[in-house]
Amino acid sequence: MANAMSDQADKELISRGLKRCSTPRFVLWMLPWVALLIFGLYAAGLCLVKGLNQTNMDNRFAFGLWIFLDLTVIALGAGAFFTGFLVYILKLRELRAVINSAVVIGLVCYSGAVAVLMVDVGQPLRAWFTFWYPNVHSMLTEVTFCITCYLTVLAIEYLPIVLKNRKLREVPAFLVFEFQLHKLTYVLAGVGTFLSFFHQGSLGGLYGVLRGRPFAFREGFFVWPSIFFLFIISAAAVGPSFILLTTCLVQKISRKRLVRVEVLRLLGRISGLMLAVYVLAKTVDTLIWINRTSPERGFPASQYYSWNPFGTWILFAEIVLFGLVPALVLLTPRLRARTGWLVAAAAMACGGVALNRFVMTVQTLALPTLSFDRFLSYAPSWQETGTFLAVVAYGVLVYSFSFRYFRLFPDERELQAAVPPTDTREADPILAGRY
Amino acid sequence: MTNPNKPVKAARYGMAIDIDRCTGCGACMVACAVENNVPPAHAGANDRKGITWIRVYKVDNGGDGDGRRSAFVPVLCQQCGNETPCVHVCPQQAVDVDPATGIVGQMPERCLGCRYCMAACPYHARYFNWWDPAWPAGMEKTFNPDVAPRMRGVVEKCNFCHGRWHAARQQATAEGKPDTEPVAYLPACAEACPTQAISFGDLNDEAGVTAAAARGRDSFRLLEKLDTDPKIHYISKREWVRRIADAPRPGDGKESRRG
Amino acid sequence: MTTTRRNLFKLTGGAAVGAMLTPAPWRLITDSALWSENWPGIPRPRRGEVTFQFGNCSLCPAGCAVRARCVANQPVSLAGVAAHPLSHGALCAFGIAGHHLPYHPGRLKSGPAAEANQAVRAALGQLRGAERCAVLDLRPGRTASWTYRRAMAAIRNGVYLAPAAPIAINLAAAKTVFSLGAPLFDGWGTPGNVIAARDHFRLIQAEPVESRTAIMADLWLPIRPGSEEALALGIANLLLKEKKIAGLPAGFADRLREFPPTMAAMHSGIGEQQIAALARELQDNGPVLVLGENGSPYAAALNLILGAPGRTLVLRREAPVPDDWKKAAPVADLASVPDGSIRVLLIDESATGEALPWSAIQSKLAEKAVVVTFAWSKEGYGRQAAFTLPTAVYPESLDDIPPAVDSPAAAFRLSAAWVAPPDGVVNPADFVAGLAGLAAKDALQERAAAIRKSGRGSLFVPSSATSTPARDVKPDDFWKMLQAGATWIDDLDANAPAPKLDVPALPAGTASSAFPLVVVVTEPDTPALVSPLLSKVYQESNLRLAPESVALHPSDARACGLETGSRARLETDCGSVAVNVTVDSDVPPGVVQVAGGPGIRKICGASSRARVVRS
């Protein structure tokens, strides 16, 4: 009896016209992720309570798995701002089909990254010092300000999605508030784009300004090294690809058509275009770096790739294999039409950006700077991996929750209607609750 | 307190370290830890997780067998003078360059522990407190009262024994000396070196021993082309030793474990 | 007017806004940063009056002068005394952190003193026939050593055992120093003295490993491991050229014939021409000093051949003692004691010096022997002794330090007692004196009086960095100044006779396959305890090999099934000890590099061979 009542209450939270699995099945789906989250929180708790000696980072590898994954995850979450830019500023209306999902992914990526950063620093209680004693010369100050502001923007963008929930709409105050928020959408999208432009770039700038690390150091424009711009372009390139991937994944798991296939192809095309621009810019930048920037600082570029396992293959993989190849695939309409190629190319693009972040964070620190240094290796400890798995679990939980109770895919109802219903109850609009 | 109306003659404290005289005994490393209340190694510490504000590395000429020749190089914070990398990158201004002395000072009480400065430093002169510091019972009686012990989660590094500079400054003021003149003092490592390989002084004082040694023909600085303008000058008559100041050699698969 | 809720809200709201315009909330926010800075559990330094006190370091026989910076009479840092004529301001890494030793976790604070006393007295009462009571003193020449000698003279069948060291080295007189692996820059003699004399001699270091001394040498001869004998005899052949010299041990001539220069070149890996050039240089560029490992007969033989006695080798001298002390027991060698004849053995290892292998000692012990050792920790002879009695450690005791091997003149200096020792410690000299019914509490003062009475020498006072002739110092002041860290240095006797150099017997050829590795000691003998801060040079930087550690070449390590961090046993024919293993490609194959320490020195003598076995 109680079960039936809670099931009924649960069903009332689900948007009209959308089919979702039964409550017990949903709980079953969430349980392992909750378990993973608890394990991850325990790992993170160990790091907070016992100190960062729980990780395998050390004085030479000051940054490790967390920073690498933070940078990757923020690049992947760039879909949120870029899609918002495309929909609200460039008026690409078709992408409204995925904008909500993109916002949730962005929120999850950014909030997860910020949470991991709080564990990564030695004194989390002093996090507010950056706001109180900011250093205008430091890229990290810029990153901190921009990311916290952008996280706020994302939270505000997430609110309407939440407030549009079937049950919450019944509260008049929420309805009015949501309506008011709706007017801000363009402003939020603009602010989000502006902030993202800067922090995506500054994350690259973090490494580009390191004069003491000629592997990472680049010249650039005014105070911004070239990596600043390369990171923005690559984030914009990989954002749509990641949305493409996640949408396909959600479609597969939920066994529903959520978006029109043209939307996916459009995402792929945009990603391919940005990726092509990125590969061109990156190639030019790399050539300048190899031939001028690095040698001028006394570091011939060849020695960077003379250490196992980071041979020249890594440069080739980053720019050609996981950069040029997916760009070409995504720009070819014939290949784009085939979902298999589309998804594979999107995955390779994401992989390429992850590789790029890896090279910038991990390879930079592994390479020696003094002639009596050694090349170093580092492998994360289970506490580090666990903490990041907590973020993954958190992401899946939030997304699953949002997918079930909020309307993440506006076209879903239409696309479901196109499918002939097997259930007569579903066929009747009133009985099915679509009114 | 210095009179703001009188121009203060700025000092540029630096060192001239004679590698040909360094025996690799490590007295400087221990003296530094004694002076600055650095805790002894935690059980899990190794050479990548320890705290050694000054660290003596063993370098070699790359030769094999009988052709191999070694030397010892003490490396500490180079007190970079030009666009100091760590000062530029710290998000909360926990590092600054003192214009009166040229010393790059780290403020552990401001430090967030983000370790960005450690990534920025090409000389690996910065150390993070991976553990809570712990001393055997009773050893805290031997603390230097002029230096505050740090807690875990913050970065620390050599500051040319700034506490000693401060004490020398107060002494000079008490003796009635004008506080526009730089004071003479010795950091713990320079005082402890048995062969007097470490010479410390004001590089702006042209007539001083340190400045003269730094100007010598055999003097060099680490990674000169990075343009950090370090204040630590190394001296050696041996050509191969001077080459260690250059960028790393390409990997040759040989693993050297010492130093 | 009535106060309504709205008024209250207005007041609160206005106050909040107004407060934001004052510095108060902003200062509070800034101050919270300070609260996060002083975490509970981080100890704070104590405050107090800062004073400077002088003393001498007793961690090794060098006895370097020390200036201690004290806060409320607690030493917080140590430094050398720059103008000191013996140590020239140098302090080694161990001495610099010596003030930590009272707080070392491995340091013993109490022991079975009453039981040990009882057992010893009972055993002494039961001494039969030729059974002996012996004191083994690792650092002879101290005033405590004289107390032991006097006590052993008073006890029936008492014998005083100590390593013989009749020769001192005058480094300043040398123009060429030829060292067969002696660690001149790594714990030999007085570091400050070696450094001060360095610019006046040419150093040739023959050693299989590029040690610190080899790096500092003018010429490093990378000889093959274990080939010191071949090289020394090859050079001796060239120097002697059929001449005969008195004083060489039996069998020397035969051994010489085994190693003509060609054989020497083949064994050592040094070219014949270079060996010839070396011999010529030693002949022409005197005065020459040849150094080897402790007790090396090859170095002694070469010194004899090159005429070092009287020039670079002089008679070792001690500070004067009161006349009535001279009726003390003589210094005897362990080898001179019959096997199984020691019934009571009292070992003073509280002052480090040359350690003897336990196997050599064990053969001299009678059954039911009572062994008491006086030590800082259980890691030395405490592993075998029945009773380990704790003593005061370095900055806790007033003790004299005999002159080091490189001090041609006698010297007398005291280590200061800056820190109060724990209640449970025992003074070994008092313990032994008590057994003999001797009153020796004022021995140091008595000796100081005798030195002053002799009227010789000068007193260096560190606080003023001046030297005064001893006879110009008032007798009362003399003792006070010694306690405040002054050093008495004897006048050098220009007409002193050349010492008689005893060349030890040549060892039998060993080349044992059971012990395939040649032992090279690359780190000095550390005191029984080293400050925990030495981790800076050990595990936190790999600059030096930690005590009780060995380093192996990768191929040797592989052959033994070991890698870095393995626990193993280092075994020689004198015993075995547990060690930590480091794999280092800088170590030549066939060599095991060891760091000295109480355990290692007890199983490794000169030219030891060993094997390393996984434990």
Side-chain angles (χ1 to χ4, degrees):
Chain A
M1 183 66 187
N3 257 348
M5 271 173 61
S6 67
D7 277 3
Q8 182 59 26
D10 186 56
K11 280 222 157 38
E12 286 182 5
L13 288 170
I14 300 175
S15 301
R16 271 179 254 272
L18 295 183
K19 279 194 346 213
R20 294 287 180 261
C21 63
S22 65
T23 316
R25 265 190 86 179
F26 180 64
V27 170
L28 213 59
W29 159 256
M30 298 287 256
L31 270 181
W33 300 106
V34 171
L36 189 59
L37 180 69
I38 292 176
F39 165 71
L41 285 177
Y42 169 67
L46 274 181
C47 296
L48 286 171
V49 168
K50 285 195 172 171
L52 287 172
N53 54 80
Q54 298 287 299
T55 69
N56 280 346
M57 292 187 283
D58 52 46
N59 293 327
R60 298 289 302 282
F61 256 105
F63 296 150
L65 180 80
W66 288 337
I67 296 291
F68 154 54
L69 286 179
D70 276 348
L71 260 64
T72 306
V73 139
I74 288 181
L76 295 176
F81 94 85
F82 198 54
T83 317
F85 172 70
L86 293 169
V87 169
Y88 295 113
I89 312 290
L90 291 190
K91 312 278 193 230
L92 282 175
R93 289 267 135 87
E94 306 97 313
L95 292 180
R96 289 172 87 174
V98 289
I99 182 69
N100 286 345
S101 169
V103 166
V104 176
I105 290 175
L107 180 71
V108 154
C109 285
Y110 277 81
S111 53
V114 169
V116 165
L117 273 173
M118 285 300 100
V119 183
D120 201 357
V121 296
Q123 290 283 337
L125 292 177
R126 295 185 186 174
W128 58 273
F129 281 13
T130 312
F131 300 98
W132 199 245
Y133 307 106
N135 178 2
V136 299
H137 298 290
S138 170
M139 283 282 178
L140 196 51
T141 308
E142 207 284 319
V143 165
T144 313
F145 273 92
C146 268
I147 287 195
T148 35
C149 290
Y150 186 61
L151 192 56
T152 320
V153 166
L154 274 175
I156 300 176
E157 285 183 346
Y158 184 57
L159 267 183
I161 302 174
V162 174
L163 293 177
K164 281 205 184 83
N165 174 268
R166 186 171 142 189
K167 268 285 179 220
L168 290 179
R169 284 178 86 159
E170 294 175 8
V171 180
F174 287 167
L175 201 57
V176 171
F177 184 56
E178 188 264 316
F179 183 69
Q180 303 288 12
L181 269 183
H182 197 65
K183 296 191 208 160
L184 278 180
T185 321
Y186 294 90
V187 173
L188 287 174
V191 169
T193 307
F194 175 80
L195 289 173
S196 289
F197 180 87
F198 275 100
H199 73 246
Q200 292 288 354
S202 295
L203 283 171
L206 283 183
Y207 292 90
V209 297
L210 293 182
R211 301 170 61 236
R213 301 268 176 186
F215 178 73
F217 180 74
R218 300 286 189 279
E219 301 162 285
F221 171 71
F222 194 38
V223 296
W224 299 297
S226 62
I227 306 191
F228 182 91
F229 304 102
L230 288 175
F231 262 51
I232 298 172
I233 304 173
S234 58
V238 86
S241 278
F242 193 59
I243 294 179
L244 198 164
L245 279 181
T246 48
T247 310
C248 290
L249 187 66
V250 174
Q251 285 191 141
K252 218 179 176 68
I253 296 178
S254 64
R255 283 174 294 174
K256 297 176 176 57
R257 282 270 304 278
L258 298 170
V259 294
R260 272 180 257 278
V261 75
E262 292 83 26
V263 172
L264 293 179
R265 291 190 190 134
L266 178 60
L267 283 172
R269 184 155 150 238
I270 296 168
S271 184
L273 193 61
M274 296 301 298
L275 203 55
V277 170
Y278 169 67
V279 168
L280 182 63
K282 175 90 182 166
T283 310
V284 171
D285 173 69
T286 305
L287 287 172
I288 296 177
W289 168 65
I290 288 177
N291 290 303
R292 195 177 75 193
T293 318
S294 190
E296 260 177 22
R297 308 185 72 71
F299 281 68
S302 54
Q303 52 119 314
Y304 297 136
Y305 298 103
S306 62
W307 304 94
N308 276 332
F310 296 145
T312 39
W313 67 264
I314 210 176
L315 195 59
F316 176 79
E318 188 194 331
I319 301 181
V320 176
L321 198 59
F322 291 101
L324 186 61
V325 166
L328 292 174
V329 169
L330 289 172
L331 286 175
T332 312
R334 242 184 337 119
L335 294 174
R336 229 175 27 236
R338 316 256 293 271
T339 317
W341 280 95
L342 193 62
V343 170
M348 284 171 78
C350 293
V353 164
L355 187 58
N356 168 258
R357 291 350 187 215
F358 176 84
V359 161
M360 281 286 110
T361 52
V362 174
Q363 191 177 0
T364 305
L365 291 176
L367 290 170
T369 51
L370 293 166
S371 66
F372 40 94
D373 264 351
R374 300 188 331 252
F375 176 82
L376 300 165
S377 62
Y378 149 83
S381 66
W382 70 264
Q383 293 91 331
E384 290 176 84
T385 320
T387 306
F388 216 84
L389 288 176
V391 169
V392 171
Y394 155 77
V396 171
L397 287 171
V398 169
Y399 194 89
S400 305
F401 187 86
S402 306
F403 178 73
R404 183 178 177 80
Y405 295 116
F406 310 138
R407 195 177 301 201
L408 287 191
F409 294 98
D411 291 347
E412 186 189 352
R413 196 155 64 164
E414 245 180 81
L415 291 167
Q416 290 312 319
V419 174
T422 51
D423 186 4
T424 46
R425 214 181 139 74
E426 276 298 318
D428 182 67
I430 295 167
L431 280 176
R434 285 199 294 266
Y435 262 82
Chain B
M1 288 288 127
T2 45
N3 183 334
N5 296 323
K6 272 202 243 161
V8 175
K9 192 164 134 214
R12 227 169 40 102
Y13 291 107
M15 282 183 177
I17 301 183
D18 191 347
I19 295 183
D20 296 336
R21 290 184 77 87
C22 178
T23 63
C25 69
C28 55
M29 294 176 65
V30 179
C32 168
V34 168
E35 170 75 17
N36 295 291
N37 300 336
V38 181
H42 191 272
N46 57 17
D47 68 317
R48 281 164 64 166
K49 274 187 150 160
I51 302 179
T52 47
W53 292 14
I54 180 169
R55 178 170 168 178
V56 180
Y57 289 89
K58 191 173 181 197
V59 303
D60 66 77
N61 64 350
D64 258 322
D66 290 353
R68 183 194 209 87
R69 290 294 180 272
S70 310
F72 293 101
V73 181
V75 176
L76 60 164
C77 172
Q78 305 283 297
Q79 313 285 349
C80 302
N82 178 34
E83 290 197 38
T84 318
C86 54
V87 171
H88 273 252
V89 301
C90 177
Q92 48 246 18
Q93 300 186 65
V95 202
D96 75 342
V97 184
D98 182 356
T101 58
I103 296 179
V104 178
Q106 169 81 13
M107 286 169 269
E109 55 275 9
R110 179 79 69 82
C111 178
L112 168 66
C114 70
R115 308 186 297 285
Y116 190 20
C117 57
M118 292 172 70
C121 179
Y123 305 107
H124 312 306
R126 294 175 147 272
Y127 301 87
F128 186 72
N129 280 281
W130 297 98
W131 285 273
D132 274 309
W135 287 267
M139 201 165 131
E140 68 276 355
K141 293 192 197 125
T142 63
F143 277 1
N144 179 358
D146 296 340
V147 179
R150 283 72 52 195
M151 52 203 285
R152 80 158 189 249
V154 297
V155 175
E156 54 187 61
K157 71 166 188 75
C158 163
N159 57 13
F160 273 177
C161 288
H162 200 264
R164 290 188 174 202
W165 173 83
H166 205 75
R169 173 99 266 154
Q170 287 183 317
Q171 174 87 355
T173 308
E175 286 170 4
K177 293 210 181 92
D179 44 53
T180 47
E181 287 296 311
V183 290
Y185 77 102
L186 267 188
C189 54
E191 185 185 50
C193 179
T195 58
Q196 281 148 33
I198 301 180
S199 165
F200 177 85
D202 181 5
L203 293 176
N204 280 344
D205 176 14
E206 307 266 309
V209 171
T210 310
R215 280 196 307 269
R217 234 170 20 119
D218 298 324
S219 124
F220 64 95
R221 295 182 295 181
L222 294 177
L223 300 175
E224 290 254 24
K225 285 202 175 145
L226 284 186
D227 221 8
T228 47
D229 191 24
K231 300 196 189 67
I232 312 287
H233 297 255
Y234 293 91
I235 298 167
S236 175
K237 293 191 164 51
R238 293 170 280 178
E239 175 66 23
W240 73 261
V241 172
R242 291 201 287 274
R243 289 272 74 80
I244 59 131
D246 298 340
R249 304 187 280 261
D252 50 6
K254 278 208 288 203
E255 268 295 307
S256 178
R257 299 224 162 239
R258 306 298 261 150
Chain C
M1 175 184 125
T2 49
T3 317
T4 65
R5 246 195 323 223
R6 175 171 279 204
N7 288 343
L8 207 56
F9 283 144
K10 276 209 246 179
L11 178 67
T12 318
V17 172
M20 302 262 274
L21 296 170
T22 68
W26 311 114
R27 274 246 67 93
L28 268 173
I29 293 176
T30 316
D31 283 353
S32 73
L34 288 170
W35 307 335
S36 77
E37 156 191 350
N38 290 317
W39 215 244
I42 309 289
R44 312 268 186 91
R46 298 173 185 198
R47 303 275 157 188
E49 194 201 341
V50 174
T51 52
F52 287 95
Q53 297 178 27
F54 293 92
N56 297 283
C57 178
S58 60
L59 289 179
C60 88
C64 303
V66 177
R67 188 197 69 184
R69 178 169 175 249
C70 301
V71 171
N73 289 324
Q74 161 74 44
V76 299
S77 73
L78 305 177
V81 175
H84 199 278
L86 291 179
S87 61
H88 303 276
L91 263 191
C92 69
F94 306 105
I96 286 215
H99 59 300
H100 294 155
L101 296 180
Y103 316 106
H104 194 286
R107 176 267 163 98
L108 295 169
K109 292 201 177 115
S110 63
E115 291 99 313
N117 210 323
Q118 210 169 20
V120 167
R121 281 180 196 275
L124 282 179
Q126 292 163 13
L127 276 183
R128 290 192 312 255
E131 283 185 333
R132 287 161 172 73
C133 166
V135 169
L136 174 59
D137 183 6
L138 297 189
R139 192 190 288 180
R142 298 174 290 150
T143 302
S145 315
W146 280 96
T147 306
Y148 299 143
R149 289 173 65 181
R150 290 157 62 202
M152 288 302 104
I155 290 182
R156 189 172 75 86
N157 280 357
V159 62
Y160 170 79
L161 303 170
I167 306 287
I169 290 171
N170 188 355
L171 205 55
K175 212 164 144 220
T176 308
V177 174
F178 175 49
S179 160
L180 290 163
L184 207 59
F185 274 94
D186 224 348
W188 186 90
T190 310
N193 184 40
V194 174
I195 293 162
R198 179 68 185 93
D199 291 333
H200 305 301
F201 62 83
R202 182 169 146 85
L203 174 61
I204 302 161
Q205 179 85 351
E207 195 167 15
V209 168
E210 199 191 8
S211 62
R212 289 186 172 75
T213 311
I215 288 174
M216 298 301 289
D218 294 298
L219 174 64
W220 169 44
L221 296 171
I223 59 175
R224 296 220 184 89
S227 64
E228 286 90 0
E229 176 187 31
L231 180 65
L233 291 173
I235 294 173
N237 262 313
L238 287 169
L239 290 172
L240 278 176
K241 289 204 182 57
E242 305 304 318
K243 268 192 301 186
K244 292 250 182 290
I245 286 213
L248 291 172
F252 195 82
D254 296 325
R255 201 65 78 80
L256 264 185
R257 275 193 283 277
E258 280 179 46
F259 289 101
T262 34
M263 287 300 282
M266 202 179 81
H267 277 262
S268 66
I270 307 291
E272 260 194 82
Q273 294 211 338
Q274 189 158 35
I275 296 183
L278 184 55
R280 257 194 316 274
E281 182 178 352
L282 292 176
Q283 196 136 53
D284 299 337
N285 279 1
V288 176
L289 170 66
V290 182
L291 293 172
E293 291 182 72
N294 272 336
S296 161
Y298 310 108
L302 281 175
N303 273 322
L304 198 59
I305 296 170
L306 289 163
R311 292 197 285 175
T312 52
L313 298 179
V314 297
L315 258 182
R316 193 121 179 215
R317 300 203 116 86
E318 275 190 302
V321 296
D323 287 327
D324 56 345
W325 287 12
K326 300 207 174 121
K327 295 193 293 290
V331 180
D333 189 26
L334 184 66
S336 66
V337 175
D339 283 358
S341 63
I342 300 181
R343 184 75 202 280
V344 174
L345 179 59
L346 307 160
I347 307 176
D348 181 4
E349 54 172 330
S350 64
T352 46
E354 267 187 69
L356 293 171
W358 178 251
S359 52
I361 298 173
Q362 196 169 30
S363 57
K364 307 292 180 186
L365 293 176
E367 46 170 317
K368 295 206 235 155
V370 176
V371 181
V372 179
T373 180
F374 300 92
W376 294 355
S377 76
K378 261 193 166 329
E379 300 308 312
Y381 290 114
R383 293 187 224 212
Q384 290 95 2
F387 300 97
T388 306
L389 299 185
T391 69
V393 302
Y394 155 40
E396 290 173 343
S397 69
L398 189 70
D399 232 337
D400 68 320
I401 307 145
V405 68
D406 60 342
S407 185
F412 188 76
R413 53 266 169 91
L414 301 174
S415 69
W418 290 315
V419 178
D423 290 329
V425 301
V426 166
N427 184 324
D430 289 347
F431 185 97
V432 174
L435 292 176
L438 261 185
K441 281 229 178 302
D442 293 322
L444 277 173
Q445 196 165 6
E446 288 169 24
R447 189 167 187 188
I451 295 171
R452 172 67 186 77
K453 211 168 103 178
S454 74
R456 292 197 340 241
S458 60
L459 195 66
F460 174 82
V461 179
S463 49
S464 58
T466 50
S467 271
T468 320
R471 70 172 73 87
D472 294 344
V473 178
K474 286 207 273 288
D476 295 328
D477 290 345
F478 192 77
W479 173 235
K480 284 206 197 75
M481 285 154 94
L482 281 173
Q483 283 182 296
T487 305
W488 174 82
I489 304 172
D490 201 356
D491 305 315
L492 264 176
D493 194 352
N495 299 324
K500 181 169 171 302
L501 187 56
D502 270 323
V503 181
L506 298 175
T510 40
S512 159
S513 59
F515 299 109
L517 300 169
V518 173
V519 173
V520 177
V521 180
T522 50
E523 295 285 341
D525 281 340
T526 51
L529 296 175
V530 300
S531 161
L533 276 192
L534 266 290
S535 65
K536 302 296 159 206
V537 300
Y538 297 144
Q539 66 257 49
E540 288 181 270
S541 65
N542 295 335
L543 178 66
R544 304 180 74 150
L545 205 55
E548 318 287 306
S549 302
V550 301
L552 291 168
H553 187 266
S555 57
D556 291 324
R558 260 195 307 272
C560 305
L562 296 164
E563 64 260 334
T564 297
S566 308
R567 282 294 288 175
R569 290 200 74 80
L570 177 72
E571 296 179 358
T572 68
D573 53 5
C574 289
S576 84
V577 73
V579 292
N580 290 313
V581 174
T582 303
V583 179
D584 185 353
S585 54
D586 282 354
V587 179
V591 164
V592 55
Q593 264 179 237
V594 303
I600 296 244
R601 264 316 191 189
K602 284 171 184 54
I603 62 165
C604 297
S607 311
S608 278
R609 299 188 71 94
R611 61 169 172 250
V612 183
V613 176
R614 196 187 185 101
S615 52

